[in-house]
Amino acid sequence: MERDAVFSIGEYYHIYNRGTEKRDIFLKPDDYLRFVFLLYSCNGNSPISVRDFKEQHNGLPLAKVKRGDPIVDIGCWCLMPNHFHILVHEKQSGGITKFMLKLLTSYSMYFNNLYERSGRLFQGPFQSKHIDKDEYLNYLFAYVHLNPVKLIDSSWKEKGIKNISLAKQHLSKYTFSSYLDFLGESREYGLILNKGAFPDYFSSEHDFGSFTEDWLTYQDYKG
């Protein structure tokens, strides 16, 4: 799960990975929920608590997870059936590498045990792109959050959106990303984010909504 990469404190990175052979890594809602739980619980300097995992299905609130101090800052995230995206800020030296090792190892163990399989779940080490331009960082908040539109219109980026109303409705019901947190919905998943570590691109929930709608209708979108 580790990879050779140098992550610099104070810099931003787009982290992503997909299932080996492009296989689905989330087969049912509980799988998504486990990964979301891990996004929060693995982002800390304390060891992962097996007890917390056992209590997760009993509705253990994220706020009660004793993870210690965060080791990375997460700006946004999105889970898709066979891959994921996370926008992160290197908070401390080695934070991203440690966080991703904990996250992917924990989820792989959960998945392989549940579905009685063995071997690699993900397509090699996680991938990363250094974000060295403000325009690119801004753009990623659209790219990451609009991924779920592919589930109802796979060619929308190349051919344009067919039904923007349907796309917005789909996004408003898709709970496995931080899209709803940026629209101001009050939910515990919001604890995963540290928006303060990222530029304040959106002055209001309405501003964010307009921003993503502009990208939905932009005909030359190349995400």
Side-chain angles (χ1 to χ4, degrees):
M1 297 299 180
E2 293 188 83
R3 63 190 296 269
D4 294 326
V6 177
F7 298 109
S8 300
I9 295 176
E11 295 295 303
Y12 301 99
Y13 299 88
H14 175 202
I15 306 294
Y16 53 97
N17 208 346
R18 67 175 63 250
T20 183
E21 299 177 344
K22 298 183 179 181
R23 66 162 296 153
D24 285 353
I25 55 176
F26 305 111
L27 303 183
K28 58 184 182 180
D30 279 353
D31 299 339
Y32 289 92
L33 293 174
R34 172 54 66 95
F35 199 93
V36 172
F37 186 83
L38 289 169
L39 277 176
Y40 182 80
S41 59
C42 289
N43 184 17
N45 56 13
S46 295
I48 298 173
S49 170
V50 175
R51 180 179 179 181
D52 285 346
F53 295 154
K54 292 180 179 179
E55 293 181 359
Q56 177 197 357
H57 291 292
N58 295 325
L60 176 67
L62 291 184
K64 291 193 175 183
V65 175
K66 297 180 180 179
R67 62 175 184 168
D69 295 327
I71 55 178
V72 300
D73 298 308
I74 298 177
C76 66
W77 56 275
C78 181
L79 311 185
M80 295 288 284
N82 70 350
H83 69 280
F84 65 81
H85 297 274
I86 313 172
L87 180 57
V88 298
H89 171 254
E90 179 81 323
K91 185 181 182 73
Q92 60 179 247
S93 181
I96 291 176
T97 300
K98 182 178 180 181
F99 167 63
M100 293 304 300
L101 177 62
K102 291 168 70 176
L103 175 66
L104 300 189
T105 299
S106 297
Y107 185 75
S108 295
M109 291 175 62
Y110 155 82
F111 190 95
N112 285 353
N113 180 64
L114 181 64
Y115 296 107
E116 300 180 341
R117 68 179 298 276
S118 60
R120 177 177 290 175
L121 175 62
F122 292 97
Q123 186 176 287
F126 66 91
Q127 302 297 302
S128 68
K129 288 185 179 180
H130 177 222
I131 306 165
D132 57 357
K133 294 182 179 179
D134 185 69
E135 294 83 356
Y136 183 38
L137 179 59
N138 185 311
Y139 158 78
L140 281 172
F141 281 93
Y143 174 74
V144 170
H145 285 128
L146 295 181
N147 256 256
V149 177
K150 295 184 205 174
L151 299 176
I152 60 170
D153 187 350
S154 60
S155 62
W156 77 273
K157 293 179 182 178
E158 297 77 20
K159 300 180 180 179
I161 194 73
K162 296 175 183 176
N163 188 327
I164 188 169
S165 178
L166 180 63
K168 290 172 66 177
Q169 182 180 28
H170 175 68
L171 288 170
S172 71
K173 294 180 179 179
Y174 195 82
T175 60
F176 304 121
S177 85
S178 52
Y179 179 81
L180 296 177
D181 302 305
F182 278 85
L183 284 182
E185 181 169 317
S186 179
R187 59 178 192 161
E188 67 170 357
Y189 290 1
L191 293 174
I192 293 170
L193 306 177
N194 181 9
K195 296 179 183 178
F198 294 79
D200 187 14
Y201 293 125
F202 317 110
S203 59
S204 66
E205 290 82 6
H206 180 268
D207 191 26
F208 173 75
S210 297
F211 167 76
T212 51
E213 183 170 337
D214 285 345
W215 278 107
L216 271 176
T217 56
Y218 183 47
Q219 295 302 306
D220 295 323
Y221 183 91
K222 299 297 181 184

